[in-house]
Amino acid sequence: GAGVSQSPRYKVAKRGQDVALRCDPISGHVSLFWYQQALGQGPEFLTYFQNEAQLDKSGLPSDRFFAERPEGSVSTLKIQRTQQEDSAVYLCASSLGQDQPQHFGDGTRLSIL
Amino acid sequence: KQEVTQIPAALSVPEGENLVLNCSFTDSAIYNLQWFRQDPGKGLTSLLLIQSSQREQTSGRLNASLDKSSGRSTLYIAASQPGDSATYLCAVKDVNTGNQFYFGTGTSLTVIP
């Protein structure tokens, strides 16, 4: 596809369950970013990949959050033992390089019951 | 930590009016600043990217300016249309952290037909 694709679009999980969110970046984009957006707020940075290397994970809120991009293309954000405060929209973005515009997917809306 | 503020939080204007959205940031050491629009339930669409060495960028009816030393950017929308109704977010890429975009909380724009 032409844009960044995220799946699922919506995810409902019970507290304590593990979830996995997928991001398909634009083909050829080296940089990939994950953000968390709470209702009425701007996105907050979670982690950054350059190809398959996770160069910055300083924004991950706890060790329950884990992201990977094993082949430098598709990325997965995993949240273990979900908590209610994890409810948010998770956005993925990709870019050709660090100084290039970031292109965002439509996000995954995660609701923890 | 970089703090990004957007004023006003909400704006309602009649169709055809020119308008200005404001963004301020606390640390002038930035790589670039990007303006986005976000429609309800959607991801972010990149509008304009201004590198730290640039003063402004233009695309169609949009013009964004950057005054890095004073920590300010403005997004000017000419001849507003109902289709411009959305939330507008600015984000800065900070030199100190390198990979992170810091977002404001956005300005919600409504253009009344």
Side-chain angles (χ1 to χ4, degrees):
Chain A
V4 177
S5 177
Q6 291 187 246
S7 60
R9 286 281 285 123
Y10 303 92
K11 176 69 179 177
V12 179
K14 291 184 180 179
R15 188 175 56 181
Q17 288 183 330
D18 298 348
V19 298
L21 313 180
R22 177 186 168 109
C23 173
D24 283 83
I26 294 173
S27 178
H29 278 197
V30 168
S31 300
L32 186 146
F33 305 81
W34 284 98
Y35 295 86
Q36 181 189 60
Q37 186 175 23
L39 190 64
Q41 301 296 314
E44 293 209 357
F45 171 83
L46 294 176
T47 187
Y48 162 67
F49 289 86
Q50 183 171 307
N51 295 307
E52 70 279 3
Q54 189 175 20
L55 299 185
D56 187 344
K57 53 182 181 179
S58 61
L60 296 177
S62 78
D63 59 7
R64 296 185 295 104
F65 287 70
F66 172 77
E68 59 184 5
R69 194 186 186 197
E71 297 178 1
S73 178
V74 172
S75 177
T76 303
L77 176 67
K78 297 179 180 177
I79 309 173
Q80 298 176 322
R81 304 181 304 282
T82 51
Q83 304 293 317
Q84 281 194 317
E85 62 262 27
D86 300 335
S87 296
V89 175
Y90 290 84
L91 294 166
C92 175
S94 70
S95 67
L96 279 170
Q98 271 220 48
D99 293 335
Q100 300 300 311
Q102 293 190 19
H103 300 268
F104 281 76
D106 285 343
T108 293
R109 183 175 297 277
L110 176 64
S111 298
I112 305 299
L113 305 179
Chain B
K1 180 185 169 182
Q2 185 77 260
E3 300 282 342
V4 181
T5 304
Q6 291 187 246
I7 294 173
L11 182 63
S12 184
V13 300
E15 182 177 2
E17 201 162 285
N18 303 325
L19 58 101
V20 174
L21 308 181
N22 297 292
C23 172
S24 61
F25 46 96
T26 52
D27 190 338
S28 61
I30 65 170
Y31 280 122
N32 56 49
L33 182 146
Q34 194 165 354
W35 281 94
F36 298 88
R37 70 173 278 167
Q38 187 172 31
D39 293 282
K42 296 288 189 180
L44 282 65
T45 300
S46 177
L47 298 173
L48 292 163
L49 172 72
I50 311 176
Q51 302 292 350
S52 63
S53 58
Q54 296 174 322
R55 284 297 193 109
E56 65 177 340
Q57 284 285 335
T58 298
S59 176
R61 294 182 294 108
L62 305 180
N63 175 278
S65 67
L66 174 64
D67 184 343
K68 198 176 67 166
S69 60
S70 67
R72 297 184 184 197
S73 177
T74 60
L75 179 67
Y76 175 83
I77 303 177
S80 58
Q81 302 172 357
D84 296 331
S85 298
T87 296
Y88 290 80
L89 293 149
C90 73
V92 297
K93 181 165 281 189
D94 187 277
V95 167
N96 295 317
T97 53
N99 305 307
Q100 298 191 21
F101 255 131
Y102 291 92
F103 281 84
T105 53
T107 294
S108 177
L109 173 66
T110 302
V111 180
I112 303 166

